[in-house]
Amino acid sequence: SFEKLAGKPSVKVEWPVIMGAGGYLFSMYIVDDPTNPVAVVKDSIIDGCSVACTYLDDTNYKVEIKTLGNDKYNNKDAASVSEVTWSTLVPATTIPAGTDLNTYFENNPITSGKDVEVAYELEAGGSYTISGDLNLGVNNVQLRGNKVNHAKVTFTGSGAIVSSGGGMALKFIDFDCDVVSKGSFVKFGDVPEEIKGMNSYGIVTNPMIIQSCEIRNVRHYLVNINGKKYAIQNFIVRDCLIKFYQDAEIFNFNSNNSFVKDFELSSSTLSEASNGRFMRVAGGKGADVGWADCSMNFTSNTFYNISCDQEAFNSNVWNRQKNTVNLSKNIFYDSCKGEFNRRIVGGRTDNAKTCDNNCYWYKGGSGLEKEANGNYGDKSTSAYGVDPGFKDPANGDFTVRHSEVISHGSGDPRWLK
């Protein structure tokens, strides 16, 4: 049996006692790629019937247990190893390759609501299309591909993935948005009555996650609040490759005082020509829906030619209240006018900003911020300005070759290996 331990990144693996055994030889592997198992624990002798191992989301495991003999009772080792597989993936309905997802969900409407996460899995390496707005409604939906061999989804019409506040997870999928010239990759639909709360906000309590996806050819918004009034508790972009050639904000939350309480962008690469601002916010505040504080976390990202000649934000301050901002181990290359930090905190005195090991390079020189106003800029002693020496950025290879960047561990981790 497998039991996730509350509050810990661990799972307890337990098995029945075998009377007279001298112990158990235990191994645990990650088998997301069955042809290349990765050992978590290898041939560990266990005196007991349980062991705690590392727990990872969205992961397939295999456990091998062999009962060991006991000389005292003249008992021999078991003749074979017992094998059990286990997965931390949410159980899912498989959608056949070659399917238009709009057609599939028209024929198989989602009715689960926001209180139960329902998952749909695309076949490994399969090709799919989105021909118009793919409306997930107020349901809590996970749409995922295969972790090792991503599914490919191509937009064939001017549409977007639409959520009306039930929660959303997009994982392990490669998207091509090339034909969506003036639309959005993700946008919000009308606010349903069932999630309306204080001050008529649509309150989104389930996470909105874009994880381990490659999103190519974003021409307009990556995420668009779409003129609606939402308070979003968590919005996460993690472990993604996103390529733009667009003319609008990447993240547009600029309407009806909409806001995100806790925003995370981590372990991702955002690249190519982007002429709009990085983000626009409407200046809403968590206190309007009963949330005491908020945060922004930018950790281990590579920004390449993103909003090169634009400031990072509009004039509104993020959430207009107590705000913790963390910028750690990022590379900003020809991005956000060399001043990414300038408008995140603004002049508020109740905000806290932590900057750690960020690299700045802008138009052939150090982009390290040296603003006179102490409220702005990266004033940490770990900030530095060097050219990362990307291997082949024109073809999407941002492997770092400058030793100082490597020693600081800055940027998307995939390019530091």
Side-chain angles (χ1 to χ4, degrees):
S1 65
F2 301 83
E3 178 188 2
K4 172 71 169 66
L5 298 181
K8 298 180 180 179
S10 302
V11 57
K12 181 181 180 182
V13 186
E14 191 170 14
W15 55 91
V17 64
I18 304 298
M19 301 305 295
Y24 307 89
L25 191 66
F26 178 89
S27 297
M28 188 175 194
Y29 301 90
I30 293 173
V31 289
D32 292 323
D33 180 357
T35 65
N36 185 30
V38 178
V40 179
V41 178
K42 176 70 172 174
D43 292 340
S44 179
I45 297 175
I46 306 298
D47 182 16
C49 293
S50 68
V51 62
C53 298
T54 301
Y55 177 98
L56 297 173
D57 289 327
D58 304 319
T59 299
N60 294 305
Y61 291 98
K62 180 178 74 172
V63 163
E64 296 179 350
I65 304 174
K66 183 176 183 179
T67 307
L68 301 177
N70 190 326
D71 291 340
K72 179 179 179 180
Y73 299 108
N74 198 31
N75 292 335
K76 297 181 180 179
D77 291 354
S80 61
V81 172
S82 297
E83 293 187 1
V84 180
T85 57
W86 177 65
S87 180
T88 63
L89 288 160
V90 177
T93 299
T94 300
I95 300 177
T99 299
D100 178 74
L101 297 180
N102 294 79
T103 302
Y104 179 86
F105 287 113
E106 286 168 7
N107 296 330
N108 302 274
I110 308 168
T111 59
S112 53
K114 66 181 179 63
D115 295 327
V116 177
E117 185 178 26
V118 59
Y120 297 88
E121 184 166 313
L122 310 183
E123 292 184 357
S127 295
Y128 299 80
T129 58
I130 293 177
S131 55
D133 280 348
L134 185 64
N135 198 336
L136 307 179
V138 73
N139 303 293
N140 186 9
V141 179
Q142 179 182 134
L143 182 65
R144 69 171 187 252
N146 180 274
K147 193 174 181 180
V148 176
N149 185 8
H150 288 192
K152 312 294 190 291
V153 175
T154 301
F155 286 81
T156 59
S158 185
I161 299 171
V162 184
S163 173
S164 293
M168 180 196 74
L170 306 174
K171 300 182 178 183
F172 318 127
I173 301 173
D174 294 347
F175 293 95
D176 190 339
C177 308
D178 193 41
V179 305
V180 186
S181 59
K182 288 295 182 182
S184 310
F185 173 62
V186 168
K187 70 180 181 182
F188 286 78
D190 291 337
V191 177
E193 289 296 325
E194 62 198 273
I195 67 167
K196 277 190 178 178
M198 294 173 61
N199 294 302
S200 298
Y201 276 99
I203 302 178
V204 184
T205 55
N206 293 322
M208 304 285 292
I209 301 174
I210 305 172
Q211 176 184 327
S212 303
C213 291
E214 182 174 346
I215 309 170
R216 297 185 300 276
N217 304 324
V218 178
R219 290 175 174 264
H220 209 55
Y221 301 119
L222 179 71
V223 178
N224 181 17
I225 204 67
N226 196 29
K228 315 304 180 184
K229 187 175 183 177
Y230 279 96
I232 305 162
Q233 188 163 4
N234 299 101
F235 202 105
I236 299 166
V237 179
R238 182 184 296 153
D239 184 36
C240 289
L241 294 170
I242 310 176
K243 181 178 179 180
F244 303 89
Y245 56 104
Q246 48 84 253
D247 58 0
E249 293 76 32
I250 294 175
F251 296 97
N252 176 28
F253 299 115
N254 189 35
S255 183
N256 287 313
N257 285 329
S258 292
F259 68 93
V260 177
K261 178 183 181 296
D262 296 308
F263 180 87
E264 175 192 326
L265 177 60
S266 63
S267 301
S268 295
T269 298
L270 282 68
S271 67
E272 297 304 321
S274 164
N275 296 318
R277 298 173 190 247
F278 176 78
M279 181 181 287
R280 293 195 75 175
V281 297
K285 54 184 178 180
D288 288 340
V289 296
W291 292 334
D293 49 30
C294 53
S295 66
M296 300 184 76
N297 296 283
F298 297 89
T299 307
S300 299
N301 301 294
T302 296
F303 297 90
Y304 179 84
N305 200 17
I306 294 297
S307 305
C308 180
D309 296 316
Q310 294 280 345
E311 294 171 344
F313 290 82
N314 67 349
S315 58
N316 287 320
V317 177
W318 181 258
N319 291 5
R320 295 190 303 183
Q321 67 179 86
K322 184 178 180 182
N323 185 18
T324 301
V325 179
N326 173 48
L327 295 100
S328 178
K329 296 186 176 180
N330 301 286
I331 296 173
F332 300 100
Y333 185 102
D334 284 355
S335 293
C336 298
K337 222 173 184 178
E339 302 172 348
F340 184 85
N341 299 299
R342 194 167 76 86
R343 291 190 184 272
I344 291 178
V345 173
R348 295 181 62 89
T349 59
D350 56 353
N351 286 314
K353 181 172 67 172
T354 301
C355 297
D356 175 52
N357 287 289
N358 295 301
C359 175
Y360 303 89
W361 189 256
Y362 189 72
K363 295 191 174 182
S366 173
L368 184 61
E369 300 181 57
K370 299 178 181 179
E371 308 231 6
N373 188 332
N375 292 320
Y376 300 141
D378 185 339
K379 304 300 181 182
S380 68
T381 58
S382 61
Y384 62 106
V386 299
D387 184 343
F390 297 129
K391 185 175 181 179
D392 188 8
N395 291 300
D397 187 344
F398 296 92
T399 299
V400 171
R401 293 183 295 182
H402 196 294
S403 59
E404 186 172 356
V405 180
I406 295 170
S407 66
H408 281 269
S410 304
D412 185 338
R414 80 191 76 215
W415 307 118
L416 292 169
K417 296 179 180 179

